[in-house]
Amino acid sequence: MRIGLIGTGRIGSFHAAVLARHPEAGSLLLADADPARAARLADRLGATAAPSVEQVFTWGVDAVVIASATEAHADLVVRAVRGGLPVFCEKPLAPELNRTLAALREVAASGGLLQVGFMRRFDAGYGTARGLVRSGALGRLHTVRTMTADPAPPAAAYLATSGGLYRDCLVHDFDMVRWVTGHEVVEVYAAGSDAGPALFRETGDIDTAAAVLTLDDGTLVTASGTRCNGAGYDVRMELAGERDQVSVGLDDRTPIASTEPHGPPPASKPWTGFLERFAPAYEAELAAFIQLVRGEGPNPCDGREALAAFRIAEACELSRRERRRVRLEELPDLPAPAPAP
């Protein structure tokens, strides 16, 4: 199998290294808006570098992995599916909801195969939590809490095109709320703060966010996030039921200290970032994509699944901006799929 990978920045380089050592990947063609960067990575991995992104679609590949800048995702996905190529795309499909919907209409019209990169679906802790919830071991859920805390802000150039904290970061939490609980978000109320570093105000973004989500069965969810968690990278999910409660992401590397006299000691080596924390999950999602391309496995996160999480993020941004509750039914959506014959 020959795979074309577009985008050789931080996440693209990680994906390329994973694919280069996968026994089913065969050969790897790398492309980037900066051809020199793609060439350097190709040299390190023993891959082939294309002089431009165009060659990924003309030199003959069996599948495409998109890890480019967010702004380019939608056009590249459409180009791939129109050419009959299965495609893996990092989230989000586009910075805006309307462009996301347009891209997914193209995917549906072409009958194309699209997997979107929500890697937490492959994390062992989230998978165990999902099993406990779905089995009824926790009893009726009454409260879910999620948090994603980055240790330091990204570059201003990244922030300016990221889509904002809800769409770029907390969208992973929203995906996990749906995936773990099996329920849909029907209403949100969100707030945000830009009181931190000036670059957030300069780029029109926020550095800290909080939201209350209501699920279709009445369960309440609180979701919080920040780009300024100096203690380290902290991603957690707590699920509390009438019978029991569990926590995802609580281990000896969680960057939090207890003030209790007999509490656990602070982490000696806290997580530094998402690539370190979720490295096994990133590898597993690409392995699943290769299986999908080979017709040996299901699609673990198709376009509709990705859209559902993005619509929650969009609702939160609208709520924050207009300072009101927002029901998900207010936002545009794709029509429901036709029932199977």
Side-chain angles (χ1 to χ4, degrees):
M1 182 186 300
R2 191 181 199 202
I3 298 177
L5 183 144
I6 302 172
T8 56
R10 180 170 55 169
I11 189 62
S13 295
F14 185 93
H15 286 334
V18 170
L19 292 169
R21 61 178 180 264
H22 194 288
E24 301 295 336
S27 62
L28 191 59
L29 177 65
L30 306 182
D32 194 277
D34 178 356
R37 183 166 69 172
R40 289 191 297 269
L41 181 61
D43 185 59
R44 290 201 303 271
L45 297 177
T48 300
S52 74
V53 171
E54 177 67 21
Q55 280 70 44
V56 171
F57 300 101
T58 60
W59 281 9
V61 296
D62 301 301
V64 176
V65 172
I66 298 172
S68 59
T70 297
E71 181 63 30
H73 287 184
D75 289 344
L76 292 171
V77 166
V78 170
R79 179 78 185 273
V81 297
R82 283 180 175 174
L85 293 171
V87 58
F88 172 95
C89 184
E90 272 298 328
K91 64 83 204 161
L93 291 176
E96 306 89 12
L97 182 56
N98 286 341
R99 286 187 62 197
T100 300
L101 291 167
L104 290 177
R105 292 186 189 103
E106 290 275 0
V107 172
S110 68
L113 198 60
L114 167 66
Q115 178 183 331
V116 182
F118 279 98
M119 78 292 183
R120 294 188 195 179
R121 293 181 176 222
F122 298 89
D123 179 75
Y126 283 105
T128 298
R130 185 177 193 257
L132 291 169
V133 171
R134 302 298 182 93
S135 71
L138 306 184
R140 182 190 68 86
L141 281 182
H142 52 77
T143 307
V144 178
R145 307 176 191 92
T146 74
M147 179 175 68
T148 293
D150 289 333
Y158 177 85
L159 282 179
T161 60
S162 70
L165 187 57
Y166 285 112
R167 301 185 189 97
D168 178 60
C169 187
L170 269 72
V171 69
H172 282 291
D173 298 272
F174 303 149
D175 182 59
M176 284 299 93
V177 167
R178 298 183 61 254
W179 190 75
V180 170
T181 69
H183 289 280
E184 300 294 339
V185 174
V186 295
E187 185 178 88
V188 310
Y189 188 87
S193 169
D194 63 0
L199 65 92
F200 291 97
R201 293 181 291 280
E202 293 166 357
T203 56
D205 200 359
I206 54 176
D207 60 77
T208 303
V212 176
L213 320 176
T214 302
L215 303 188
D216 55 17
D217 66 343
T219 302
L220 293 180
V221 180
T222 59
S224 64
T226 184
R227 302 280 200 186
C228 303
N229 196 57
Y233 183 69
D234 193 358
V235 170
R236 279 178 280 151
M237 182 182 209
E238 298 172 358
L239 299 119
E242 292 180 337
R243 187 176 302 156
D244 204 354
Q245 63 178 341
V246 294
S247 177
V248 179
L250 185 61
D251 59 20
D252 60 0
R253 299 193 65 182
T254 304
I256 190 168
S258 173
T259 61
E260 298 300 325
H262 304 293
S268 60
K269 189 182 178 183
W271 297 109
T272 59
F274 63 91
L275 283 178
E276 182 187 30
R277 165 66 177 85
F278 289 109
Y282 279 115
E283 295 203 27
E285 72 174 356
L286 287 178
F289 177 62
I290 290 174
Q291 282 189 306
L292 179 65
V293 174
R294 291 170 58 89
E296 297 172 352
N299 193 334
C301 187
D302 63 16
R304 284 185 174 273
E305 288 289 292
L307 174 62
F310 192 80
R311 289 179 73 247
I312 300 168
E314 190 78 6
C316 285
E317 182 57 37
L318 180 61
S319 174
R320 180 189 73 85
R321 192 168 60 245
E322 298 187 356
R323 296 178 179 271
R324 67 178 179 88
R325 293 185 300 172
V326 173
R327 292 192 61 81
L328 268 291
E329 63 192 20
E330 297 180 40
L331 277 64
D333 196 0
L334 292 175

